[in-house]
Amino acid sequence: MDNLFNRLIDLAAACPDKKAVVFKGEYLTYRELCRRIAGMAERLGKEGVGQGDRVCFSAVSKPEMVAAYMAVQACGAVAVFLDKNGTPENMAAICEEAGAKILLTDKPMKEYAEKCRVQSLRELYRQAGDGGRTASRIWMQNCRKGRPLLRKRIWQNCCLRRERRENQKELC
């Protein structure tokens, strides 16, 4: 199956020390990116984020944003991007209206805690780099059918999308 996750895994295996994400002198290698994604996905899973959930996030385009987006995808959730320059009030309203499980941001949002669960994106990213499970343990964790767990989820998502496209073609 040729998709973004599988390509990332293949690149991490083929050239783990090559730069994957670069921003103003800050960078992550493929190995580091996979480790961050796996750690963030694990922590999001512990927060209750799962298949089909919405996760709002607001971030500057830098390595932590890329890792967060990929981690949301790895959980099977849907990323809802919010304007990084948006006001906390607007972000909370969008998060509430979208029915998001969690909001990943580093804006001060204490006064809106009752509207949405807020998690510090920077803290989540930092924790993901401080140990946790390696990407290989997350991606290669076998499920009942022997397929890697995340690849199985990705496969299921792809099959659902293919069925939807076929159904839409039949309607036309």
Side-chain angles (χ1 to χ4, degrees), residues 105-123:
T105 187
D106 283 314
K107 287 193 178 251
M109 301 279 296
K110 288 182 183 176
E111 62 272 14
Y112 300 101
E114 72 278 352
K115 288 188 177 182
C116 59
R117 285 180 38 213
V118 179
Q119 168 77 39
S120 166
L121 178 59
R122 193 172 298 122
E123 183 63 21

Side-chain angles (χ1 to χ4, degrees), residues 78-91:
V78 177
V80 179
F81 289 94
L82 301 178
D83 182 2
K84 67 179 189 233
N85 298 317
T87 65
E89 182 180 17
N90 286 345
M91 293 168 87

Side-chain angles (χ1 to χ4, degrees), residues 23-64:
F23 178 78
K24 293 185 179 180
E26 184 182 348
Y27 70 91
L28 291 175
T29 64
Y30 283 103
R31 177 188 295 127
E32 292 166 337
L33 179 60
C34 283
R35 190 178 76 238
R36 298 279 181 159
I37 292 167
M40 292 175 88
E42 181 179 21
R43 283 170 174 70
L44 287 172
K46 286 179 183 176
E47 292 286 330
V49 175
Q51 188 77 27
D53 290 333
R54 291 175 197 89
V55 175
C56 290
F57 74 92
S58 170
V60 177
S61 296
K62 47 198 266 188
E64 62 193 47

